[in-house]
Amino acid sequence: MKILDTMIAIDELKQLAQNIFGNLIKAVVDVDRELIAVDAELHSDLEALLLEKGSKQNSLWGINFYPDAEGDDFLEFDSMINMRPSQGNLSRGVDSEDIQKKIVEIVSKRISR
């Protein structure tokens, strides 16, 4: 597992994807600290890593990257860790458009495509 706090190239993300799923890499974004944890079989493992490093639960959102995809297909808002009725998120997705926009901004700061 790895926490991205600086920019990485898309080629590095592609290499990480090959380690586990091939065309997919799971990630968890801390929208307050602007960190992205990547490279694990489960979003919950990435979530635990960020919590251990000081992130707050309500700031963490699970996403998937498809490094070979273009445009909007590159990023998917889908994870069991996103189901959070206490925050009004009732699905595996990220229901808040504001949080989606924040995640996209952080991804663009951390991954060079």
Side-chain angles (χ1 to χ4, degrees):
M1 291 186 284
K2 180 176 187 171
I3 296 176
L4 306 179
D5 58 358
T6 59
M7 179 83 75
I8 69 165
I10 189 71
D11 288 338
E12 185 176 347
L13 199 63
K14 288 178 182 178
Q15 289 177 338
L16 291 173
Q18 293 301 317
N19 293 339
I20 300 177
F21 295 107
N23 67 337
L24 158 76
I25 186 161
K26 294 186 177 197
V28 172
V29 179
D30 181 329
V31 294
D32 289 328
R33 297 173 66 205
E34 299 193 349
L35 301 173
I36 304 174
V38 296
D39 197 24
E41 288 187 28
L42 301 172
H43 287 109
S44 59
D45 292 337
L46 299 165
E47 178 185 46
L49 174 65
L50 285 169
L51 290 170
E52 184 181 294
K53 300 294 183 185
S55 293
K56 296 179 181 169
Q57 179 72 56
N58 62 0
S59 302
L60 303 179
W61 297 93
I63 61 173
N64 298 312
F65 293 123
Y66 294 90
D68 292 324
E70 299 292 329
D72 291 343
D73 294 334
F74 170 71
L75 190 156
E76 175 184 49
F77 301 99
D78 182 32
S79 172
M80 287 297 292
I81 71 166
N82 296 339
M83 295 191 72
R84 223 172 291 158
S86 63
Q87 285 182 252
N89 203 83
L90 304 175
S91 74
R92 293 170 48 110
V94 176
D95 298 341
S96 165
E97 288 185 23
D98 289 340
I99 294 173
Q100 285 184 17
K101 287 178 186 172
K102 180 73 175 171
I103 290 170
V104 170
E105 287 173 14
I106 294 166
V107 167
S108 68
K109 289 179 183 176
R110 299 287 177 241
I111 300 171
S112 173
R113 299 176 64 199

